[in-house]
Amino acid sequence: MASSTEGMRRGRSTARSATVDEAEEATAGPDALDLSGLNAVVGYALRRAQLAVFEDFIARFATLDLTPAQYSVLLVIGNNPGRKQAEIAAALGIQRPNFVSMLDELERRGLAERLPSATDRRSHALVLTKAGSALLARARAMQDEQERELAQKLGPGGREMLVALLQRLM
């Protein structure tokens, strides 16, 4: 397990790795902290699982220089070309100023572009560039691999059950 954990840590910032290391040290060994009051709390378990999945994602996607939020934006734009940036930001729960900054970065990298909306002159329609579509295809393959590994960890039907249960909370 240590070697796979180390593999996941490649590509993380030093601060993030130190935090993970400290958490692992605090909950292991004879002087381990008692977290029994938290381990059965849904929110705590969700947050710890989310951190583990995102840290793995960040390490995997480091070669593509994509964050989870950027990947989500590219995926939604790719699946919904021409939609307004306000619609995409709202659907992903990203605040407008944060979304504008993220889109500025994706445009700077030549991955997405804002076009004048055909239906609303005050809005922009978002599309992926050819480079954005190509990067998204590579990212989807990486995401598929991560999903396969998660499914393997969760066992037969576990991934589907977990997603269904989480969707009940949304």
Side-chain angles (χ1 to χ4, degrees):
M1 182 74 178
S3 63
S4 65
T5 303
E6 283 303 312
M8 281 179 36
R9 288 198 183 127
R10 278 184 242 126
R12 285 193 214 154
S13 69
T14 305
R16 183 171 297 225
S17 294
T19 303
V20 170
D21 289 341
E22 289 169 2
E24 288 174 357
E25 288 173 15
T27 59
D31 294 330
L33 293 174
D34 179 2
L35 298 181
S36 61
L38 288 174
N39 287 334
V41 174
V42 171
Y44 180 77
L46 280 172
R47 179 66 175 149
R48 293 303 299 252
Q50 186 258 345
L51 286 172
V53 171
F54 270 38
E55 287 174 359
D56 179 54
F57 180 103
I58 289 165
R60 287 173 191 268
F61 283 65
T63 59
L64 301 180
D65 192 25
L66 278 182
T67 65
Q70 290 170 331
Y71 172 73
S72 297
V73 168
L74 289 175
L75 185 65
V76 173
I77 293 171
N79 288 340
N80 302 278
R83 297 298 289 262
K84 295 178 189 175
Q85 73 182 43
E87 291 176 298
I88 293 175
L92 293 173
I94 301 173
Q95 293 181 0
R96 183 173 243 149
N98 296 339
F99 188 80
V100 169
S101 296
M102 186 184 317
L103 198 55
D104 287 345
E105 174 64 13
L106 294 173
E107 276 191 309
R108 185 194 66 73
R109 292 176 58 191
L111 302 175
E113 61 183 324
R114 296 172 175 108
L115 301 174
S117 172
T119 59
D120 184 353
R121 292 185 340 191
R122 299 167 296 163
S123 300
H124 292 103
L126 303 181
V127 296
L128 295 182
T129 62
K130 287 182 182 177
S133 293
L135 184 70
L136 180 58
R138 290 177 54 207
R140 281 183 174 180
M142 294 172 90
Q143 179 67 45
D144 289 346
E145 178 62 28
Q146 184 185 37
E147 289 294 314
R148 279 190 294 277
E149 290 179 18
L150 289 169
Q152 185 177 14
K153 284 182 182 179
L154 295 170
R159 181 193 166 284
E160 293 77 13
M161 181 185 302
L162 178 60
V163 170
L165 290 170
L166 291 173
Q167 288 175 342
R168 291 166 114 184
L169 298 176
M170 297 190 281

